[in-house]
Amino acid sequence: TYPERSNRPQIPQSSMPMGGNSSNVPMGGGGGGGGGGAPTSGANQTIQQIYVPGEKIGAVIGRRGETINEIRRTTSAHVDIQDSGPNAKQRLIVITGGYEQVRSAYYMIKNKVDLARPAAHP
């Protein structure tokens, strides 16, 4: 564990939104909207919210959930992709776990989003 939050290496601010906004969720629930910042930590838990463009969420989920399940297995982080309406432009992903688990899952998701082509629309 890290003795002080300010001494932890931070996930780069410039790459957090992934085409949208990023926000923190305080321990104990609640939710933020908009804004940015480093992951929220407390009691050895870190929570990070990421907004992913709707046309690229398929790259994160993968065929039959294979990609997101691989990210979960590899990092041991809890990764939850929130449901959204049929015309939503962004999907919210909430990553929870230890700081390094969340950091690893974040970068794996970011890589999938950065390499993804927008979904073809019929």
Side-chain angles (χ1 to χ4, degrees), residues 16-17 21 27 31 36-37 39-40 44 53 63 67 81 92 96-97 105 109-110 114 122:
M16 289 177 72
N21 294 320
M27 291 305 293
T40 299
N44 296 322
R63 192 173 290 222
T67 303
I81 301 174
L92 174 62
T96 309
I109 292 168
K110 181 181 181 324
D114 289 347

Side-chain angles (χ1 to χ4, degrees), residues 12-113:
Q13 299 291 320
S14 61
S15 61
M16 289 177 72
M18 287 193 212
N21 294 320
S22 176
S23 62
N24 297 323
V25 176
M27 291 305 293
T40 299
S41 298
N44 296 322
Q45 278 286 97
T46 300
I47 301 171
Q48 176 69 53
Q49 291 185 337
I50 307 166
Y51 287 91
V52 174
E55 70 271 5
K56 294 187 175 187
I57 196 69
V60 176
I61 296 171
R63 192 173 290 222
R64 293 169 33 204
E66 291 173 3
T67 303
I68 194 65
N69 287 332
E70 179 64 22
I71 292 170
R72 290 171 176 146
R73 271 192 305 274
T74 302
T75 66
S76 298
H78 178 81
V79 182
D80 184 38
I81 301 174
Q82 302 290 312
D83 291 330
S84 63
N87 295 324
K89 295 184 188 251
Q90 296 182 340
R91 295 283 296 270
L92 174 62
I93 299 176
V94 180
I95 309 168
T96 309
Y99 182 81
E100 289 300 322
Q101 294 169 325
V102 170
R103 182 176 166 273
S104 295
Y106 168 82
Y107 280 112
M108 289 178 78
I109 292 168
K110 181 181 181 324
N111 185 52
K112 294 294 181 189
V113 171

